Amino acid sequence: NAGVTQTPKFQVLKTGQSMTLQCAQDMNHEYMSWYRQDPGMGLRLIHYSVGAGITDQGEVPNGYNVSRSTTEDFPLRLLSAAPSQTSVYFCASSWTVSYNEQFFGPGTRLTVL
Amino acid sequence: SQQGEEDPQALSIQEGENATMNCSYKTSINNLQWYRQNSGRGLVHLILIRSNEREKHSGRLRVTLDTSKKSSSLLITASRAADTASYFCATEGAQKLVFGQGTRLTINP
């Protein structure tokens, strides 16, 4: 199993550009989530999904969109990139969120100029 | 605002010593988890303790949970250089897992 994969590993954007961060898992997990990690801030939840077709907002959803058309994939879209979105983004998955460990991807380091 | 807050923010000890990190949270939880993050990498799950448990062990790790004080502690015994990492607590409730800011642990040879 590849586990949780994320692409790209690194990305540089200009302010106003849009892009999609990809996340895929091959463990048939129902629950998937996106976090951003800023220095000294720990991880903050952006969006999460409890299954295909179901998504909800986390702590910091503004400026991001998600969709979950399949169990395996959970892409994160930046609509109009801003310097404040410079961060490291992590995708995670688990069977369910309750009483289950989260499996994390390796992260995408995003810089917005 | 984040659910968990960890203390201390940074900890530096000698190899072989024990390391203790604390986590406090604000609302009721289903369970509390601890994760480790090596520099530049994704998080790795260490241990999960349910709200009705008081203590749990896994190898050199010992986790306690006091729901009356809304706090947890992670003890790493006989530390090794490879334990150098950031450690995060995460609380689960309402279909979300919310992380604290982490403790940066450095083990000196």
Side-chain angles (χ1 to χ4, degrees), chain A residues 4 29 31-33 35 91-98 100-104, chain B residues 33 35 43-45 92 97 99:
Chain A
V4 180
H29 286 166
Y31 187 87
M32 297 186 73
S33 55
Y35 294 87
C91 178
S93 75
S94 63
W95 293 110
T96 68
V97 69
S98 296
N100 283 287
E101 68 174 281
Q102 298 287 307
F103 292 83
F104 279 81
Chain B
Q33 304 178 32
Y35 288 79
L43 278 70
V44 174
H45 182 264
E92 187 262 305
L97 192 65
F99 286 82

Side-chain angles (χ1 to χ4, degrees), chain A residues 31 35 37 40-45 48 50 57-59 90 97-106 109, chain B residues 1-2 30-31 33 35 37 40-45 48 50-51 88 92 94-102:
Chain A
Y31 187 87
Y35 294 87
Q37 185 176 31
M41 293 292 293
L43 278 76
R44 291 184 290 172
L45 181 64
Y48 65 97
V50 298
Q57 297 181 351
E59 185 184 1
F90 289 100
V97 69
S98 296
Y99 305 104
N100 283 287
E101 68 174 281
Q102 298 287 307
F103 292 83
F104 279 81
R109 188 173 296 273
Chain B
S1 61
Q2 290 187 303
N30 293 330
N31 65 76
Q33 304 178 32
Y35 288 79
Q37 183 181 35
R41 304 257 180 128
L43 278 70
V44 174
H45 182 264
L48 180 154
R50 294 173 178 250
S51 59
F88 295 89
E92 187 262 305
Q95 295 192 324
K96 299 176 187 177
L97 192 65
V98 180
F99 286 82
Q101 296 183 3

Side-chain angles (χ1 to χ4, degrees), chain B residues 77-92:
Chain B
T77 60
S79 62
R80 305 167 181 169
D83 294 328
T84 292
S86 291
Y87 292 82
F88 295 89
C89 69
T91 53
E92 187 262 305

Side-chain angles (χ1 to χ4, degrees), chain B residues 6 13 15 35 64 78-79:
Chain B
E6 280 141 283
I13 61 173
E15 194 167 12
Y35 288 79
T64 62
S79 62

Side-chain angles (χ1 to χ4, degrees), chain B residues 7-27:
Chain B
D7 172 60
Q9 291 188 350
L11 179 62
S12 181
I13 61 173
Q14 297 300 119
E15 194 167 12
E17 293 180 338
N18 296 342
T20 299
M21 289 157 268
N22 302 296
C23 171
S24 61
Y25 58 93
K26 297 175 183 174
T27 62

